[in-house]
Amino acid sequence: MKLLKPLVGAAALVALPTLTLAQDGPTPGVNASTDTVFILNSLLFLVGGFLVFFMAAGFAMLEAGLVRGKNVTMQLTKNMGLFSLATVFYYLIGYNLMYPLGTWSVEGVLSGVFGPGVLEAVGVTSDAADDYSYASTGSDFFFQLMFCAATASIVSGALAERIKLWPFLIFTIVLTSIIYPIQASWKWGGGFLDGMGFLDFAGSTVVHSVGGWAALVGALILGPRIGKYKDGKTIPMPGSNLTLATLGTFILWMGWFGFNGGSQLAMGTVGDVADVSRIFANTNAAAAGGALVALILTQVLYKKPDLTMILNGALAGLVSITAEPLTPSLGMATLIGGVGGVIVVFAVPFLDKLKIDDVVGAIPVHLFAGIWGTIAVVITNGDASLMVQLYSILVVGLFTVVASGIVWMVLKATMGIRVGEEEEIMGLDTTELGMEAYPEFSKG
């Protein structure tokens, strides 16, 4: 995502030039009026934002399909809770922590702007808009909130079937109000990583790897599900509904057009609209590349295609292209996504060998493919530096691992984060919630 210029009551960090409209119709090469730019940019954020919002449904359906039937209600409850908490706490703390408007408590590291976000007045006019040359504050806030919530959704699936509800939701509060906004400010808020030239267009590192790192640390502290690893073997625990998992994947695929396309952050010129179109096409190509590679590889390795790998291959392709969806050609975008598919097929069994239990494959998809996508920027964007990309991956990773580890350990020591053995065996739906997703199929 390009450097944002939102932020309440502040001048734009980068102002668009004063624009005029020819009396006898648009002149070739001349931009639209500033009103039009403001309207179209705001519209891009709103459309992109509700597409990314629908990804919440995609995560919920994917997780509901990949967990066992006795834990489906819990996953749905977690997804409703995490999105709602992200909405409240990003407003209260995260938004201004993420965008310091050039006001830093620690230069380039920690925002000096604290407190809830504030929208523009009802019926605001151009002379009173927070950033008339850019977009409405409400559209920007809405768009950015959706990215924050997506980060928390990544953690939910990896830790499924054995984590308590309330400790998970408390972790979500810290992740969405503090951990995610602070590291995002280092790039998208004009912080020190942005100053070094770090490039992450829509968040392969800023969003996806952060969710992946938080999930990895949580999985290590939480431990695997009972019976997942026995006598050096990995015991399959098939999901309850691959139809739902496939639906969730397609919803996420669709939402990614808003995720990447909206991150152009501008729709007021011919060039911007052409770039958004290019981003849509490349995003789609990368997803297809990841899915096809996973389809072929699982056929070769296991003699039968594996649908769950194919689904995650598509998602890994999407994560891979997220750091730079604009500059690749369609062919290169397909290849970048295809590498994401390779990563998933080999990383899932690799984690099982390490006895790291990731129920839905979130760590390979969002962390490993996120790292790959961030590195792949240097292939097509001449402004990218490999060393800066690697350094930024390391900095964000270390910060997220340490911060997440502290929160998880505190929760473990105070509330406990794992359900009891009996509750886990019986299923979290009945023991934690007293409500089954498929009661007609329960025993007795």
Side-chain angles (χ1 to χ4, degrees):
M1 186 177 297
K2 294 177 177 176
L3 177 63
L4 226 25
K5 307 162 293 217
L7 307 177
V8 177
L13 296 177
V14 180
L16 294 174
T18 301
L19 305 172
T20 59
L21 199 63
Q23 290 183 353
D24 297 325
T27 301
V30 175
N31 293 319
S33 70
T34 308
D35 266 7
T36 303
V37 171
F38 182 91
I39 292 167
L40 290 176
N41 287 354
S42 300
L43 181 62
L44 176 66
F45 291 153
L46 293 172
V47 173
F50 72 64
L51 281 170
V52 182
F53 162 77
F54 201 44
M55 292 175 72
F59 279 114
M61 294 301 96
L62 178 67
E63 294 171 25
L66 292 182
V67 301
R68 290 170 289 181
K70 61 184 180 180
N71 295 309
V72 171
T73 303
M74 175 60 83
Q75 286 310 110
L76 299 177
T77 303
K78 284 162 59 182
N79 276 273
M80 288 295 295
L82 72 86
F83 188 89
S84 301
L85 286 168
T87 296
V88 172
F89 283 90
Y90 189 68
Y91 148 66
L92 290 174
I93 303 172
Y95 184 61
N96 282 329
L97 194 59
M98 184 167 164
Y99 294 112
L101 307 171
T103 303
W104 299 91
S105 295
V106 180
E107 185 62 33
V109 176
L110 181 63
S111 172
V113 183
F114 301 98
V118 180
L119 303 182
E120 286 151 323
V122 175
V124 68
T125 55
S126 60
D127 59 338
D130 287 334
D131 193 347
Y132 176 52
S133 65
Y134 181 53
S136 67
T137 299
S139 67
D140 176 70
F141 170 81
F142 179 74
F143 185 65
Q144 296 306 321
L145 165 63
M146 298 305 132
F147 283 67
C148 180
T151 306
S153 297
I154 294 166
V155 183
S156 172
L159 309 183
E161 301 201 324
R162 75 270 200 204
I163 193 168
K164 292 180 179 179
L165 174 62
W166 288 106
F168 170 78
L169 293 180
I170 292 172
F171 179 83
T172 295
I173 292 173
V174 180
L175 178 66
T176 56
S177 65
I178 299 174
I179 297 174
Y180 170 78
I182 286 178
Q183 60 81 34
S185 76
W186 299 343
K187 167 55 188 172
W188 292 341
F192 74 99
L193 292 181
D194 185 66
M196 294 177 62
F198 174 45
L199 299 181
D200 190 3
F201 193 96
S204 286
T205 286
V206 173
V207 176
H208 294 283
S209 81
V210 169
W213 285 119
L216 175 60
V217 175
L220 289 170
I221 294 173
L222 193 61
R225 289 168 289 175
I226 295 171
K228 178 64 178 177
Y229 305 111
K230 287 184 178 179
D231 303 323
K233 296 181 179 179
T234 300
I235 307 303
M237 294 181 172
S240 63
N241 193 325
L242 292 183
T243 304
L244 278 185
T246 304
L247 173 63
T249 301
F250 275 116
I251 291 173
L252 288 167
W253 190 329
M254 182 183 73
W256 233 285
F257 298 126
F259 203 99
N260 287 355
S263 294
Q264 175 70 12
L265 302 182
M267 199 171 69
T269 68
V270 170
D272 284 326
V273 173
D275 284 352
V276 171
S277 306
R278 183 182 178 96
I279 290 166
F280 271 46
N282 280 340
T283 298
N284 189 66
L292 286 174
V293 167
L295 169 66
I296 295 167
L297 266 182
T298 52
Q299 174 69 55
V300 171
L301 295 173
Y302 307 126
K303 310 305 180 187
K304 294 179 181 178
D306 184 324
L307 176 59
T308 61
M309 289 287 196
I310 297 167
L311 300 179
N312 277 328
L315 297 177
L318 289 162
V319 172
S320 299
I321 202 65
T322 294
E324 184 48 270
L326 176 59
T327 56
S329 65
L330 281 170
M332 183 56 69
T334 306
L335 292 174
I336 290 171
V339 173
V342 173
I343 289 171
V344 161
V345 171
F346 288 102
V348 169
F350 173 71
L351 288 179
D352 281 331
K353 288 183 179 179
L354 299 177
K355 296 184 178 180
I356 298 173
D357 187 9
D358 175 358
V359 177
V360 303
I363 296 168
V365 167
H366 297 279
L367 176 55
F368 296 168
I371 291 172
W372 152 244
T374 306
I375 295 170
V377 175
V378 302
I379 299 173
T380 63
N381 191 325
D383 294 330
S385 161
L386 178 59
M387 294 309 298
V388 170
Q389 296 298 100
L390 291 172
Y391 175 77
S392 300
I393 291 168
L394 180 63
V395 167
V396 171
L398 283 174
F399 170 74
T400 307
V401 166
V402 172
S404 298
I406 291 172
V407 178
W408 284 127
M409 291 303 293
V410 169
L411 290 171
K412 182 178 181 180
T414 54
M415 302 177 66
I417 59 175
R418 182 161 184 154
V419 299
E421 182 175 343
E422 182 179 351
E423 288 82 1
E424 183 177 343
I425 292 172
M426 290 182 63
L428 277 60
D429 287 3
T430 55
T431 60
E432 290 279 289
L433 301 175
M435 181 182 295
E436 296 177 87
Y438 307 113
E440 63 272 28
F441 295 106
S442 61
K443 296 179 180 179

